[in-house]
């Protein structure tokens, strides 16, 4: 990776290796959880971790093959420029935060903040438009799903306090 060039960024090999190692880590977590649940046979048949254990092993083995093939490949071109990755992360990070806080805040409050943030920060909309859409979309969602279809959506302490 060259950092002096204005077009610098991670290489294909580095990104492929990183993604492959993350997938292998996921496989290792599956194997670990399966061992804790039991991977042998019980009186009724295979225990809860039997099949996930072998899936985890398959994930790790596949990742090792992909890592080997990726590292021996001759293509070491640029994957993306740092500026491009910053643009992607400017959407990915707030979205991950939105999903992460939803169990604590509920869908509606998290959505108001998420929609408002994106409209104002990325869209540069006026506060009037931001407020109308950020409040309007969760209200419409509530009316359609909870009142019309009778499908309860995740609620947080504010929705519970309001009796929604």
């Amino acid at each position: 990776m060259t950092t002096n060039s204005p077009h610098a960024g991670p290489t294909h090999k580095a990104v492929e290796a990183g993604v492959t190692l993350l997938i292998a880590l996921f496989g290792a977590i599956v194997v670990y959880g399966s061992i804790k649940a039991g991977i042998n046979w019980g009186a009724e048949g295979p225990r809860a971790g039997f099949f996930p254990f072998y899936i985890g092993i398959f994930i790790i083995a596949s990742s090792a093959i992909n890592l080997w093939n990726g590292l021996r490949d001759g293509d070491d071109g640029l994957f993306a420029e740092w500026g491009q990755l910053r643009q992607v992360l400017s959407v990915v990070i707030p979205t991950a935060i939105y999903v992460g806080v939803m169990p604590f805040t509920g869908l509606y409050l998290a959505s108001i903040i998420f929609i408002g943030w994106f409209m104002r920060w990325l869209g540069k909309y006026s506060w009037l438009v931001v407020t109308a859409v950020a409040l309007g979309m969760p209200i419409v969602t509530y009316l359609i799903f909870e009142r019309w279809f009778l499908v309860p959506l995740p609620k947080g302490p504010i929705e519970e306090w309001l009796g929604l």
Side-chain angles (χ1 to χ4, degrees):
M1 285 185 278
T2 315
T3 56
N4 297 340
S5 169
H7 300 289
T11 63
H12 278 279
K13 276 187 183 181
V15 172
E16 287 181 18
V19 169
T20 302
L21 291 172
L22 281 174
I23 293 171
L25 176 64
F26 171 74
I29 292 169
V30 169
V31 167
Y32 176 75
S34 299
I35 290 171
K36 285 183 72 172
I39 60 171
N40 55 357
W41 284 75
E44 298 84 28
R47 296 189 58 197
F50 182 80
F51 292 110
F53 174 79
Y54 289 104
I55 297 297
I57 294 294
F58 180 74
I59 290 170
I60 293 170
S62 299
S63 295
I65 292 168
N66 286 337
L67 182 62
W68 171 257
N69 288 331
L71 291 178
R72 69 185 180 104
D73 185 18
D75 179 25
D76 201 22
L78 188 65
F79 174 75
E81 296 175 12
W82 291 116
Q84 294 169 325
L85 291 176
R86 272 191 292 280
Q87 288 178 327
V88 171
L89 290 177
S90 74
V91 173
V92 170
I93 291 172
T95 303
I97 292 169
Y98 168 66
V99 171
V101 302
M102 198 179 303
F104 307 103
T105 65
L107 174 76
Y108 302 113
L109 179 61
S111 295
I112 290 168
I113 296 168
F114 182 70
I115 293 167
W117 170 262
F118 268 101
M119 287 186 70
R120 186 67 185 168
W121 183 53
L122 290 179
K124 309 285 190 243
Y125 288 95
S126 71
W127 280 109
L128 180 63
V129 173
V130 169
T131 304
V133 175
L135 291 174
M137 278 308 300
I139 290 170
V140 168
T141 302
Y142 173 79
L143 293 173
I144 290 173
F145 284 98
E146 303 230 11
R147 293 294 181 208
W148 189 8
F149 290 130
L150 302 175
V151 176
L153 296 175
K155 295 187 183 52
I158 292 178
E159 291 95 349
E160 296 291 336
W161 179 70
L162 291 172
L164 298 177

